[in-house]
Amino acid sequence: MTTQKPRWLNVKVVNGTYRVKLVIKDQTFVDELKRQIGANNRGWDPDTRSWVISPWALPELQSVIRRMGYQMPNFPPIRPSAPEIEEKIYRIDYVGQCKEREDKTITALGLVYGFWSVEIPEDVLKKFFDKGGKGLITDTETHYQILGLEETATPAEIKSAYRKYARQWHPDTCSEPEAPAMFRQINESYELLFNPVMRKRYDFGLHFEREAAKRQAKIDAAQTAAPRRKGRGGRRRRQFNENPYYRCPLRCGLVKVKGFQTVSKFKVTEIISWDDVTDQSGHVMSSSWEIVTKSVKIRWI
Amino acid sequence: MSMNQALTVGSVQAVAERDGVTLAETIMGVAALILFDNSESMTMPDCPNHQERFSVAMRELRRLQAAIEGKIGVVQFNTMPTFIPGGLPDDPAGSTDVASALEYVQKIDGCGIRIILISDGEPDNAPLAFEVAKRFTDTRIETVYIGPEGGSGAEFLRKLSALTGGVHVKQNVGEIPNLAATVTKLLSA
């Protein structure tokens, strides 16, 4: 009769988290760990080649260890503390597409010095970039929103936003497939908003569009049956791929945020500002996803 | 009062849906805003064949929008003004508050969009309507009177358009069936 020798792992406490290091590589254990412990409560530390586990997930961790036949190590007690909101500035080299994560939240990841270490929820991105939105029109995007502007923006602010967005999306520098269409749209919005008469007409159009939406809401509320007509004739929100979630209109920047640190990522709760990253000679950083190499390409313009 | 959500051919809503652009962008392209009186008095059946002024004017409004697609924005007014993206006003009700209607569209002053006010009656507050009209510095308010011969509303509308350098047209009840042609003429003037 052969008895299986119990497998073992090392556990240390570092900065209020458990660092779990497997002595021998075990992909089954890793898969089970990922299945049982949500992404919010676990992370991988490439420097020490160990798993970082939040003390909140200790019961799940112990259960995985038991189930996988490992010898139960001694877990020094850690009192889990509520996350502390802090303000940070990150140089984000690339913001990915919003996606549904394991915990059912919809977020985009930010690449910081080679690691996807910043997580920004979709609603936080929308709140920052969709400044023109008044919450009435849900299926359209205004020219102000395309340039991330308030409807009270001054001509100088319009020009500055245009430069920022055009630099990001110029087809010569951005290799993403939607770049030509985005660039055309940015130009169109700029030309319209920078012309005072056109802008005045557009503002009036927006005002009436909202009036129409209010009237439609009244009609819908008055009808007991399902509303007869739904669409308001609006252009669909910018969407160039199959992913139904929000796409951050800027790819990179020096971003001041509020949020809290989890074991794996900094979770953003609010974006305070989003500025250009410039080098010593005044060139501005622009980044895009290279489909061929499947990596982020940074250019200085 | 029932709200009309029908969509007439050539209305800004119909054009926006057809072209797949936003309503705001379609409204940008209008040549004129029609301020259309849909107060109670518009139900008077004094048009040819005992037709109501309202139903005859509605038919003309429909014809006008179909003829110059996307160029006409319709704002109905009685006690309250309302923008009608589908181009067909609600059933008549209430009084004739011209001052509120002009205030409602005042934002277009200086945009190069013309205002054509079509009404049959006396306003709730004529002095206030004149006050509001004086605030339009870059827009002429054209008026079209649709009512009985010698009706007192015509004089009010004449004064209103004169204040802004606009044209006043009298369209007696028998001539309401020519309303679309009259407005087209005004627009090409």
Side-chain angles (χ1 to χ4, degrees):
Chain A
M1 197 178 85
T2 58
T3 48
Q4 198 179 357
K5 205 174 164 187
R7 294 177 289 177
W8 52 283
L9 38 72
N10 290 328
V11 173
K12 272 187 196 170
V13 173
V14 180
N15 295 335
T17 58
Y18 293 111
R19 302 292 166 113
V20 178
K21 187 169 182 168
L22 294 168
V23 176
I24 299 163
K25 194 177 171 186
D26 181 351
Q27 192 55 44
T28 323
F29 179 90
V30 170
D31 291 343
E32 187 61 13
L33 185 88
K34 283 182 175 175
R35 232 187 328 269
Q36 298 300 325
I37 301 175
N40 278 347
N41 286 322
R42 64 164 156 79
W44 171 250
D45 179 3
D47 296 335
T48 59
R49 303 196 58 75
S50 57
W51 286 96
V52 185
I53 307 292
S54 154
W56 294 101
L58 180 59
E60 288 87 349
L61 176 62
Q62 287 174 326
S63 155
V64 173
I65 291 169
R66 206 173 294 119
R67 198 170 315 140
M68 300 307 294
Y70 278 73
Q71 198 167 43
M72 188 62 72
N74 178 37
F75 284 96
I78 302 174
R79 185 188 291 173
S81 56
E84 197 179 311
I85 297 287
E86 50 187 325
E87 217 171 271
K88 284 198 171 185
I89 297 175
Y90 283 103
R91 188 192 113 166
I92 300 183
D93 290 347
Y94 189 80
V95 180
Q97 167 85 53
C98 281
K99 285 177 187 164
E100 190 174 325
R101 309 288 164 190
E102 280 173 14
D103 58 359
K104 302 291 173 203
T105 57
I106 296 156
T107 61
L109 298 182
L111 187 68
V112 178
Y113 294 111
F115 294 102
W116 297 100
S117 52
V118 174
E119 189 168 8
I120 315 172
E122 185 184 46
D123 57 344
V124 172
L125 281 172
K126 278 185 179 175
K127 192 176 169 191
F128 184 77
F129 286 103
D130 283 6
K131 285 174 179 160
K134 294 277 189 292
L136 277 172
I137 303 153
T138 55
D139 60 349
T140 63
E141 189 169 59
T142 70
H143 287 289
Y144 290 101
Q145 287 169 320
I146 287 167
L147 294 179
L149 289 164
E150 303 270 2
E151 288 180 19
T152 51
T154 62
E157 285 167 335
I158 295 170
K159 202 166 204 166
S160 158
Y162 168 70
R163 283 189 179 146
K164 187 184 271 188
Y165 281 72
R167 198 162 31 224
Q168 174 66 62
W169 289 103
H170 196 292
D172 288 352
T173 56
C174 181
S175 41
E176 294 183 24
E178 61 264 41
M182 280 290 293
F183 189 65
R184 261 197 312 277
Q185 205 167 51
I186 288 161
N187 271 318
E188 189 189 312
S189 298
Y190 171 70
E191 278 166 22
L192 190 151
L193 297 179
F194 203 67
N195 178 326
V197 176
M198 294 291 276
R199 183 180 176 186
K200 205 169 178 189
R201 275 186 171 230
Y202 182 63
D203 287 347
F204 181 69
L206 278 181
H207 169 66
F208 264 20
E209 188 174 73
R210 288 174 187 138
E211 289 289 306
K214 278 187 212 166
R215 177 177 158 86
Q216 188 61 36
K218 270 188 204 166
I219 291 170
D220 290 348
Q223 284 176 337
T224 46
R228 271 188 285 165
R229 294 197 315 107
K230 274 213 159 171
R232 300 297 334 157
R235 185 172 48 200
R236 293 292 301 157
R237 189 167 280 279
R238 189 166 51 219
Q239 194 175 305
F240 294 103
N241 56 25
E242 292 300 312
N243 194 321
Y245 303 118
Y246 187 71
R247 185 68 171 105
C248 178
L250 290 178
R251 293 290 187 262
C252 58
L254 200 62
V255 188
K256 191 173 179 184
V257 291
K258 267 187 191 171
F260 57 91
Q261 186 66 50
T262 68
V263 287
S264 56
K265 289 174 184 65
F266 186 82
K267 295 254 186 186
V268 175
T269 54
E270 185 190 346
I271 300 170
I272 298 164
S273 63
W274 194 299
D275 297 312
D276 287 336
V277 180
T278 46
D279 67 8
Q280 286 173 336
S281 41
H283 293 111
V284 179
M285 187 169 88
S286 165
S287 66
S288 64
W289 184 258
E290 298 283 313
I291 292 173
V292 180
T293 59
K294 290 189 176 165
S295 62
V296 172
K297 171 103 178 171
I298 292 177
R299 293 176 177 88
W300 296 88
I301 306 161
Chain B
M1 188 183 74
S2 69
M3 285 189 270
N4 193 346
Q5 51 171 335
L7 197 62
T8 194
V9 175
S11 65
V12 283
Q13 180 72 60
V15 170
E17 288 186 7
R18 183 196 66 195
D19 297 348
V21 296
T22 62
L23 192 53
E25 284 167 315
T26 315
I27 295 166
M28 272 181 76
V30 301
L33 272 186
I34 302 252
L35 301 191
F36 186 85
D37 178 356
N38 71 335
S39 61
E40 190 76 50
S41 59
M42 287 291 283
T43 53
M44 287 285 281
D46 54 4
C47 286
N49 301 322
H50 303 289
Q51 292 180 92
E52 288 183 0
R53 292 171 196 170
F54 178 75
S55 53
V56 178
M58 276 277 273
R59 199 171 58 221
E60 289 299 294
L61 203 53
R62 200 180 268 132
R63 251 173 48 182
L64 178 68
Q65 291 174 86
I68 42 175
E69 294 195 352
K71 294 293 172 195
I72 300 289
V74 178
V75 171
Q76 70 175 27
F77 71 97
N78 43 56
T79 315
M80 284 251 304
T82 314
F83 169 58
I84 308 292
L88 295 175
D90 303 332
D91 292 338
S95 61
T96 314
D97 191 347
V98 175
S100 296
L102 291 175
E103 260 173 356
Y104 187 68
V105 298
Q106 213 193 323
K107 271 190 178 176
I108 67 160
D109 193 25
C111 291
I113 298 173
R114 300 166 78 165
I115 294 176
I116 300 173
L117 191 146
I118 300 173
S119 177
D120 72 337
E122 291 176 31
D124 298 350
N125 190 337
L128 186 59
F130 293 143
E131 274 308 302
V132 179
K134 280 181 200 162
R135 289 187 218 147
F136 286 80
T137 52
D138 284 322
T139 308
R140 288 187 314 184
I141 301 170
E142 330 275 17
T143 56
V144 180
Y145 169 74
I146 45 168
E149 179 72 51
S152 55
E155 183 53 18
F156 160 73
L157 292 176
R158 191 195 59 76
K159 278 187 187 163
L160 190 77
S161 51
L163 275 174
T164 57
V167 175
H168 170 63
V169 180
K170 242 171 41 179
Q171 196 101 70
N172 296 329
V173 281
E175 296 164 337
I176 297 178
N178 302 324
L179 188 60
T182 306
V183 173
T184 312
K185 259 187 219 163
L186 273 177
L187 286 175
S188 53

